[in-house]
Amino acid sequence: QFKGDDGLWTSFFTETTAKILVMATNGKVFTIEAAKLPGGRGFGDPIRLLADLDEGSDVVAAFPYRPSSKLLIVGSDGRGFVAAANELVATTRKGKQALSLDPPARAAVIADAAGDHVAVVGENRKLLVFPLSELPEMARGKGVRLQRYKEGGVADAKVFALGDGLTWKDSSGRTWTVSAADLKDWVGHRTEAGRLPPKGFPKSNRFG
């Protein structure tokens, strides 16, 4: 059930014994015990009751913590790095400052880093693909520049296996896949500008 104009924002399977990681726009990652979440038949509770989310900060993503997994963290200014999920778990409500930001930059993406290449798309609708090995693994910090922009910043980023091709969902919910061979014009190196994406890429500038 929802209050007023609330709606469903994200959903995933997890267990009451699990931890849930929540990233805020200020670059902090909070850890919430799934067992402390209210039951499913009510309106739910604000995350601010479970974590010390700063005023003015919003939630970027929430997902189950998977020990030993790696995560791609990217700020809106185009800087980012790979972090071990184990390094992001906090033992207090205050969370952990993972991504260091210079305002007005904000945390924009936190995504599973399973694969060998990074795909990043800017607000300027330029797509760039480069090897994941070009990003450092860090516990916290500003990271390094993923993509170069004349203006604007990151719209979305993901890690994928180049051999499987790059996939995205369009506004109709259909899945598109571009093979490694067809991606060769977009594959380059970190800090390059990229080029306009292949036909069928969502107008939302997100991989879906």
Side-chain angles (χ1 to χ4, degrees):
Q1 297 182 58
F2 300 108
K3 283 185 178 178
D5 58 358
D6 285 355
L8 183 65
W9 176 65
T10 189
S11 65
F12 48 81
F13 290 103
T14 189
E15 298 170 338
T16 51
T17 53
K19 291 180 170 68
I20 294 167
L21 298 182
V22 175
M23 183 162 220
T25 48
N26 63 359
K28 280 188 176 181
V29 178
F30 300 91
T31 304
I32 293 173
E33 303 286 342
K36 293 184 178 174
L37 295 175
R41 293 191 175 276
F43 293 115
D45 287 336
I47 285 180
R48 290 181 193 279
L49 293 181
L50 304 164
D52 291 342
L53 202 60
D54 296 355
E55 282 297 323
S57 289
D58 211 344
V59 173
V60 175
F63 51 92
Y65 162 65
R66 294 205 329 274
S68 73
S69 63
K70 303 281 179 74
L71 296 162
L72 172 69
I73 297 176
V74 185
S76 60
D77 57 358
R79 300 180 71 91
F81 58 91
V82 173
N86 300 352
E87 296 278 2
L88 301 177
V89 176
T91 54
T92 71
R93 289 169 52 103
K94 293 188 182 300
K96 273 195 176 179
Q97 187 73 46
L99 183 63
S100 302
L101 296 159
D102 293 326
R106 54 181 176 75
V109 175
I110 184 166
D112 195 27
D116 51 35
H117 277 69
V118 178
V120 56
V121 61
E123 292 172 335
N124 61 2
R125 205 166 164 77
K126 296 283 184 72
L127 172 69
L128 173 67
V129 175
F130 62 86
L132 180 63
S133 58
E134 294 184 4
L135 282 185
E137 184 172 323
M138 305 164 61
R140 65 189 64 80
K142 278 190 177 180
V144 296
R145 188 162 299 285
L146 274 69
Q147 188 178 19
R148 188 177 76 251
Y149 311 108
K150 281 185 180 171
E151 55 185 40
V154 165
D156 202 7
K158 70 181 287 187
V159 177
F160 71 106
L162 185 61
D164 295 339
L166 178 63
T167 62
W168 63 76
K169 280 189 178 173
D170 66 15
S171 56
S172 305
R174 291 175 301 186
T175 299
W176 294 62
T177 301
V178 180
S179 70
D182 291 336
L183 277 174
K184 64 181 186 298
D185 290 339
W186 287 270
V187 176
H189 294 283
R190 184 176 68 76
T191 75
E192 291 177 4
R195 53 184 295 175
L196 291 173
K199 179 187 171 195
F201 193 76
K203 288 187 169 60
S204 66
N205 261 11
R206 301 188 68 81
F207 295 107

